[in-house]
Amino acid sequence: MKRAELVFIPSPGFSHLVSTGELAKLLVNRDERLSITFLIMKLPFDNKVDAYTQSLSSSFAAGRVRFIDLPVQKPAGDQPRPRGFLATFIQTQKPHVKQAVSNLTESYSGPDSPPLSLTCFARP
């Protein structure tokens, strides 16, 4: 049976993570060949994310869904306007996302490894 690994990168913030988590539940429950890795961009002031990822992780069979927390990094410079904050924050996360995807690619490089499929839910 051929397996596939999906990589989800939800937009920062609790609400995006919840909707992406619900999508993951549907997919994993529908097809046992799928597993999903979330790359989590944590906002410095969002404290609900850890509790949600722990509860979501415990609701799945072991190894089917996992979470990788990217480093929390505040944007440099002056405090941007609220609209500019999210775009700036996502820009600071791009190198961390690139490194995490590179690490995943290396760990799945064997002949029996499932193919990776990357899905980004964040606006650039």
Side-chain angles (χ1 to χ4, degrees):
M1 175 168 46
K2 189 149 181 137
R3 297 186 45 82
E5 173 83 15
L6 302 176
V7 179
F8 285 179
I9 309 170
S11 199
F14 182 70
S15 62
H16 287 271
L17 179 59
V18 170
S19 58
T20 308
E22 291 302 312
L23 175 63
K25 282 182 189 179
L26 290 171
L27 291 171
V28 170
N29 289 334
R30 185 170 194 137
D31 192 336
E32 64 186 35
R33 297 171 298 173
L34 290 177
S35 57
I36 299 174
T37 296
F38 284 83
L39 301 182
I40 305 295
M41 294 184 272
K42 289 185 185 177
L43 293 169
F45 49 82
D46 195 348
N47 55 5
K48 300 179 204 173
V49 172
D50 287 332
Y52 180 73
T53 56
Q54 288 175 358
S55 71
L56 190 61
S57 179
S58 66
S59 68
F60 291 106
R64 301 279 311 277
V65 174
R66 65 183 174 144
F67 298 90
I68 298 174
D69 292 330
L70 299 174
V72 178
Q73 183 174 335
K74 293 182 182 178
D78 294 335
Q79 193 70 337
R81 295 183 318 223
R83 285 187 189 202
F85 173 78
L86 189 58
T88 303
F89 181 79
I90 290 172
Q91 289 296 324
T92 65
Q93 293 295 300
K94 283 184 177 181
H96 302 300
V97 169
K98 184 177 178 179
Q99 184 62 51
V101 171
S102 177
N103 292 346
L104 284 171
T105 303
E106 288 175 13
S107 68
Y108 285 102
S109 62
D112 295 329
S113 297
L116 287 178
S117 178
L118 186 66
T119 306
C120 184
F121 296 102
R123 294 182 293 164

